[in-house]
Structure formats: structure tokens, C-alpha cells
Amino acid sequence: MEATEKRGFFGEFGGSQVPADLQKVLDILEEQFYHFKDDEEFNKELNYYFTEYVGRKSPLYFAENLTAKCGGAKIYLKREDLNHTGSHKINNVLGQILLAKRMGAKRVIAETGAGQHGVATATVCAMFGMDCTIYMGAEDTKRQALNVFRMELLGAKVVAVEKGQGRLKEAVDEAFADLVENYDHTFYLLGSAVGPHPFPSMVKHFQAVISKESKEQHLAKEGKLPTAVIACVGGGSNAIGSFADYIEDKEVRLIGVEPDKAASITEGRPGDLHGFRCIVLQDEEGNPLPTYSIAAGLDYPGVGPEHSYLHTIGRAEYVTVSNEEVLEAFQTLSKVEGIIPALESSHAVAHALRLAPTLSTDDSIIVNISGRGDKDVEQVFNMLK
Amino acid sequence: MTLQQAIEKVNADGGKAFVPYIMAGDGGLETLRDTVLRLQTLGVSAIEVGIPFTDPVADGPTIELAGERALQNGTNLRNVIATLQSFADEVTIPLVAMTYLNPVLAYGPNFAKDAYAAGIRGVIVPDMPYEERGIIHSDLQAAGVALVQLISLTSPAERIAKLAAGSEGFIYAVTVNGITGARADFADHLDAHFAKLKEASSLPVLAGFGISTPEQVQRFGGYSDGVIVGSKIVDSIANNDWGTIEELIQASKQLGVK
């Protein structure tokens, strides 16, 4: 798999179908990424910040109460919500900003949906003294006003993108347009495992720390591999990070959970979007369709190319949950375990609540809690009222 | 006549090509025939026909908004081609379709053949890089439809040479970094850039992206074999302001007067 991954393809998916202007920028990025990813100094620095700044390792917490409530498989929670900035996004931004630094960039741009990636990016830019611009769909800036202020507090400039639906897709478009115009001094810090090569491979590489840790932790606690790993899927960065180290362990079920109203993999078909081939939610004529998830971070009509591939070859399963199930899961985990999960992560929890009772008590499942739910409390309050 | 021949003919007569960009379906597909025929009557050399798309990454706000209006009218690649076919016998100038890749893939294997029957003699796919052209290139070649390459003047010399040698119909020289739209200023040393393109290929070189005034038409037309005007034309058609369009065409015609 490594050989094909190097060219940026996962089966028929992935690749880099971008205008020439952008391709030359990506070529440089690819070269630098492959140069530094196994570099000893680079990884030493990355691990230093993982430990000292992010607070890794994140715990693999045995959710005893939730397990008792479901009856069935043991449920473990991989607590990415406990990372500095409150989500898994920090893993990737740290990796990429160290790369940006080595490439001599002075300015960093990023897109954000729920605001978590934007906050994570603004955070590391503040720490490393980089000029930072965050593109966010106008609709999302309203849904996540507090995160907008948080980014501004961290010194970032937040640009509300009014085009189209005003969501993640439009924010991605604007960020790429900015990169094409300003590539000579700007680094595009992409937050999800999507986009043209080398972004999906790079994001996976930096997020793989989730599954590297969870595997060790699970082996230490249970003396065996988990039965299943569950993660929510929008673009797919927390899911690919949660799956990465288990892909070769065929006995471990890998389960991605999509919102039923933004179900790219479950209801889409192969297409080309944002410069790469993946499974796309689209109409008969090839136009990407609008999405309507309650979780801003999952509102994306495409999905990472490796997820598209894992689905096609049957290595990973992809399921959908409804908004009602998500809200139920959000409240259940809060009440039973005292952990308020992000609405995104609540998708994974919702499926765990369905799956655990169908498995035996010898089984165990890992649910990736990709982010904390503080950002969503107001939205949920308004929905439940 | 092929796309290349049509433009070369304009140049051979001492003139510069003028290619307006229109958004198909803006104002309704039923207006497409009138728009195309009116532009043809005004003496344009070819017409670039934009196909609306929900995710137009290479377009500026003017064309994106026009695309949104067209999508709301139910416009798509399939019914644009069908509409163009319905009056193809009245069109004597070549049409060049600008479409993103995914609608072409969704259309299926008959795209090139159907496009040719619609009077389309060239295709521009801004999100399909040169190295990926194999996806549709052989079908287009077989049908007689040129695959036009966009070339950024800021690309490295070897990339410019490669794309110029591989383009068909004409070379679409991108005169500013980035997306389409009206710009007030352009990079210096343009004459040297255009000279490089002419060295690398025998195809006509047309300048596009950001040309919106008669002065710019004259300036860029002076360096190149012709100009493509997008956002300004789209705006003018939407506002039924044909006076502005005629001024732009006139500016191009004056270039031909030696």
C-alpha cells in the first residue's frame, strides 16, 4: 500500500487534479512532507509539542457506566477531546506548522467548518508567531460565533465566506484560491483528510498518532486488539487517524459514521471534487449536493480518498445515524459518563449505542471522541427547547 | 473549420480574435440561442460557453453568481448541449465549452460526440490538469474537439513549454494569478511572457482572466492573438447592457486596423 500511497492514490481514489498553478505548490509540499516525515529532528520536535503542549497521550478511558447501560461489548473512549484546543485537530496542525516553518512560510491559511480546525490552527500560529487567516462559511460563523471570537482572540483573521451555502465546501474553495494567489509566502494548512495529494496522506500521517496510542493502550488493558473502532466521518481526518494502525489488522472492524443528511459514502458515487477523486454526494448531472448535518464539521459532500477506497474494498464499514440519534447520544454520554462530546463525535457514540448491545461481553469497541462538546452546548440548548 | 483554423483566419486577415464568455442558462436556457446569435452577428471570433456547476473553484464571484442563477433555472451540461444542438445549423463560429470535470464524467462516454454535434469545437476543463487529460482526451480527439490548456504566465518556463506544446485549438494565457474576475492592475513584463508562449507553440495565443475594459482589450490584444472577456460580458448580458459589449468588441476590431 505504501507504494501506491506515495503517488497519492488509494485504488482509483485520490490523486491531484488541480490547475497548474496549484500543482507546482503541491509538488513542493509533497517533496518537503516526504523529506521530513521520517526525519529524526522533525519527529523529536513534534513529539515534544505533542507531550508538552497538547498533553498527549490522550487517555483510552473505559466507559464502565455506558458499557453497563448498553449491555454487551466493553466501550472504550479515546479521549481526543482532552487535547489542548479540545479536539483531534491539533495533532495535524502541529505536524503541518512544523513543516511550514521548515519551508520558510510566513503566513498560514486554513479552512474550518465547526471551527475546531480554525481554532487549532490559530493556536499554533500564535505560538509560532505566524500570520494567520481562517476561511469559514458565513453560515458556520453564525452557528459557531464563539469559535470565531476564539480565533480572533488568538490573533487570527477570520474571513466569513458568503458564497454558496456558506459552509465548509465554500471555505475550502476560498482557501485554495488564496493559496494560488499567494503561494510564494503562504502555507495552506488543510484540516481534513481530503483535497489533492499530498494532503490526505499528510493529514493521515499526523493523525495516525490516535490509533498508534489506542492500540498500545488497548493491548495493555485487554491483552488483545479491539473488536471494532468507531469514528465519525465528514472529511474523515479523525476516522482515518483512528483506523490507521488497524488497517492491516483485518480482524478489527473499522466503522465510519456519517450524518444521514450528509452521507457522502453511503449515498454518493465516485466523482471528482476539489482536485481529487472520492465518493461524492452528487446529483445525476455531477453537481455536488448540499448537505444538512447538525454538526458543522461533518457538512461536506465529499470524503477522504482513503475512506472511499476502504469502503470500496470492504475493509471499513460506513453507516449513517439520524440527527435524533445524535442528540440522544450527546445527552446519554453527558449524563452517564460526565463527558460532553462534540456533535460530530456524538455520531460515533450514537452508533456505539446501537452496536455494543449486539456484541458479547468478551468484545470491546473503541469510540473516538474526536472533540469536546462545549462549542455545541448552545446549539443543543436551542434544539431541545 | 477547426477552432484553431477559425482563429488563425481572423489573424490572417490582420485582426485579433475576440472571444466572449457567456454563462449558459443565466436568464434561462431559452435565451441561449438569441445570445449566441447576437454575439455572432456582432462579429466575435468564437464564444466560450460556461456550464454552471455547484462548486466552481476557478471562477470569480461574477461568474459564480451567474452560475448559481443558471443552476436555479435547472441548467446542466446535458441540457446545454441539447439546446446548442437545436440551433447548431445557425452557428457559423466555433463554440468552446468551459466545464468542470465531474459533470463531464457524469455525462458519460458520448460527451465528445454530442458536444461536436452542438457546435462545440473546443473544451476547457479548469480542474483537469494537463497530466490527467487522458481521462477524456482520446474521446475528444476522435470527435474533433480541441482540448484547450490554460497556461499561467507565472509558471516555470519548462511547464509553459510543455503545456503550450500540448494545447489544442489555441493557448489560453492566464494573465493574472488565480481566479477569473475584473482586476485593476496586472504584472509587468507581459510582452516577454507572451513572446515565450509564441516561441513554444505555433498555436494562436489568447489572453484571458481579468480583462474588462476596452483599454485592456487593446493592451492585451497588442501582445497576443486575441482576448477572452468573461466577467464583464456575463454582467453586461445579465443587465441587458449590449452597448458595453459592443464597445469591447469595437476595441478589439480597432486592433486589427494596421
Side-chain angles (χ1 to χ4, degrees):
Chain A
M1 189 176 283
E2 189 61 25
T4 51
E5 194 178 314
K6 226 181 167 112
R7 297 199 327 272
F9 279 95
F10 307 90
E12 66 167 302
F13 301 106
S16 171
Q17 303 167 350
V18 297
D21 276 355
L22 186 49
Q23 188 57 50
K24 68 185 170 194
V25 185
L26 298 181
D27 287 346
I28 298 167
L29 182 60
E30 181 197 28
E31 187 205 317
Q32 295 291 312
F33 167 61
Y34 282 104
H35 176 74
F36 284 113
K37 85 183 186 60
D38 300 315
D39 179 79
E40 202 177 321
E41 273 302 305
F42 181 89
N43 285 313
K44 209 174 130 189
E45 193 179 355
L46 181 59
N47 285 326
Y48 170 81
Y49 287 111
F50 270 170
T51 310
E52 303 293 331
Y53 192 69
V54 178
R56 304 208 70 94
K57 302 174 175 175
S58 70
L60 183 70
Y61 171 70
F62 174 45
E64 204 173 344
N65 300 334
L66 193 65
T67 300
K69 183 178 162 64
C70 289
K74 281 185 174 175
I75 301 173
Y76 282 95
L77 307 177
K78 181 61 173 163
R79 300 290 311 275
E80 291 297 303
D81 58 314
L82 292 178
N83 294 340
H84 179 44
T85 74
S87 84
H88 73 290
K89 294 289 185 188
I90 192 81
N91 304 330
N92 169 55
V93 298
L94 257 180
Q96 286 199 44
I97 199 135
L98 293 180
L99 194 58
K101 221 175 65 167
R102 280 164 175 75
M103 289 171 67
K106 300 277 176 280
R107 174 172 179 261
V108 167
I109 57 172
E111 85 298 340
T112 195
Q116 284 167 310
H117 174 58
V119 167
T121 302
T123 299
V124 296
C125 284
M127 185 175 61
F128 287 100
M130 295 249 201
D131 187 41
C132 179
T133 300
I134 306 290
Y135 290 96
M136 190 168 184
E139 184 60 31
D140 289 339
T141 61
K142 287 177 209 141
R143 290 201 282 187
Q144 300 290 346
L146 209 53
N147 266 343
V148 173
F149 179 63
R150 208 167 270 147
M151 288 182 264
E152 287 168 351
L153 207 56
L154 291 160
K157 182 179 151 205
V158 180
V159 179
V161 181
E162 301 282 352
K163 306 198 304 184
Q165 271 194 297
R167 295 192 181 174
L168 182 59
K169 177 166 72 68
E170 287 78 16
V172 172
D173 290 348
E174 283 299 287
F176 272 117
D178 182 318
L179 179 65
V180 168
E181 199 139 337
N182 300 301
Y183 63 88
D184 50 348
H185 63 288
T186 295
F187 185 97
Y188 179 14
L189 211 163
L190 206 149
S192 195
V194 299
H197 181 65
F199 285 113
S201 296
M202 189 159 71
V203 173
K204 178 193 179 187
H205 176 77
F206 293 128
Q207 291 294 1
V209 66
I210 302 173
S211 52
K212 275 191 198 109
E213 286 179 10
S214 80
K215 195 176 193 175
E216 263 178 38
Q217 291 165 320
H218 191 275
L219 280 170
K221 287 173 202 285
E222 294 288 332
K224 60 176 182 178
L225 292 173
T227 310
V229 178
I230 304 176
C232 65
V233 179
S237 72
N238 94 82
I240 204 68
S242 303
F243 294 171
D245 229 41
Y246 299 104
I247 291 173
E248 301 301 322
D249 301 318
K250 306 283 190 231
E251 67 272 34
V252 179
R253 287 174 64 184
L254 305 176
I255 306 173
V257 187
E258 298 186 306
D260 61 359
K261 296 201 170 62
S264 311
I265 294 188
T266 319
E267 291 173 14
R269 60 177 206 279
D272 291 64
L273 181 67
H274 293 144
F276 68 106
R277 177 163 294 186
C278 67
I279 298 180
V280 181
L281 198 57
Q282 57 185 310
D283 68 14
E284 285 296 305
E285 302 301 330
N287 284 295
L289 286 170
T291 54
Y292 302 98
S293 171
I294 55 169
L298 304 182
D299 253 338
Y300 187 64
V303 66
E306 194 166 4
H307 286 297
S308 304
Y309 176 66
L310 292 173
H311 166 72
T312 305
I313 63 169
R315 174 61 192 96
E317 310 157 43
Y318 295 86
V319 299
T320 64
V321 291
S322 68
N323 287 346
E324 293 71 34
E325 287 175 285
V326 172
L327 278 176
E328 186 66 38
F330 179 89
Q331 296 172 82
T332 300
L333 193 65
S334 302
K335 278 184 191 133
V336 180
E337 295 289 351
I339 296 169
I340 302 177
L343 279 174
E344 288 79 6
S345 320
S346 300
H347 286 68
V349 176
H351 185 64
L353 296 178
R354 291 197 302 216
L355 180 67
T358 70
L359 300 174
S360 100
T361 50
D362 295 333
D363 288 312
S364 57
I365 56 184
I366 295 177
V367 183
N368 197 46
I369 306 299
S370 54
R372 66 177 178 223
D374 306 41
K375 69 180 177 62
D376 300 315
V377 169
E378 191 186 348
Q379 187 190 342
V380 173
F381 173 75
N382 288 325
M383 282 188 295
L384 292 179
K385 252 196 331 188
Chain B
M1 199 162 17
T2 66
L3 177 58
Q4 182 180 345
Q5 286 164 347
I7 292 167
E8 281 174 349
K9 186 166 180 304
V10 175
N11 295 148
D13 295 343
K16 301 287 187 175
F18 183 90
V19 180
Y21 172 103
I22 61 172
M23 174 57 76
D26 185 16
L29 265 180
E30 62 277 11
T31 66
L32 186 57
R33 176 177 172 274
D34 281 354
T35 303
V36 167
L37 295 182
R38 186 159 180 182
L39 287 167
Q40 177 172 278
T41 305
L42 289 172
V44 303
S45 319
I47 299 172
E48 186 181 349
V49 180
I51 310 296
F53 185 54
T54 55
D55 196 21
V57 288
D59 292 313
T62 304
I63 289 178
E64 169 157 27
L65 284 174
E68 281 173 22
R69 294 192 296 264
L71 285 165
Q72 273 162 18
N73 290 330
T75 309
N76 57 52
L77 181 58
R78 205 172 301 275
N79 56 29
V80 170
I81 286 180
T83 305
L84 291 174
Q85 281 178 353
S86 71
F87 60 90
D89 54 348
E90 299 173 79
V91 180
T92 54
I93 54 173
L95 305 179
V96 180
M98 170 149 166
T99 174
Y100 289 85
L101 179 58
N102 207 44
V104 174
L105 297 177
Y107 193 100
N110 291 332
F111 168 71
K113 216 169 57 195
D114 293 353
Y116 187 87
I120 293 169
R121 294 293 176 270
V123 171
I124 301 165
V125 188
D127 61 340
M128 184 180 72
Y130 181 68
E131 288 72 16
E132 303 287 331
R133 68 193 183 287
I135 303 171
I136 56 170
H137 191 217
S138 56
D139 285 350
L140 291 173
Q141 269 187 321
V145 178
L147 181 57
V148 179
Q149 297 298 327
L150 292 165
I151 303 183
S152 164
L153 293 180
T154 56
S155 292
E158 60 272 23
R159 175 116 198 128
I160 288 179
K162 184 177 173 184
L163 294 183
S167 192
E168 298 165 358
F170 62 86
I171 288 168
Y172 194 140
V174 180
T175 45
V176 288
N177 277 355
I179 54 177
T180 60
R183 303 298 173 96
D185 55 321
F186 293 100
D188 296 333
H189 313 302
L190 278 172
D191 47 345
H193 285 302
F194 280 105
K196 262 192 284 179
L197 285 175
K198 293 301 289 179
E199 247 170 62
S201 164
S202 58
L203 287 177
V205 177
L206 303 194
F209 280 44
I211 298 176
S212 61
T213 65
E215 293 70 35
Q216 286 170 338
V217 167
Q218 296 215 320
R219 177 165 174 226
F220 286 94
Y223 296 131
S224 61
D225 299 316
V227 296
I228 300 166
V229 181
S231 304
K232 194 71 190 178
I233 298 278
V234 167
D235 251 351
S236 301
I237 290 176
N239 298 327
N240 201 20
D241 173 13
W242 284 82
T244 295
I245 297 174
E246 285 178 32
E247 279 171 28
L248 290 163
I249 296 172
Q250 209 46 47
S252 150
K253 285 191 173 156
Q254 282 162 8
L255 277 165
V257 183
K258 291 279 151 71

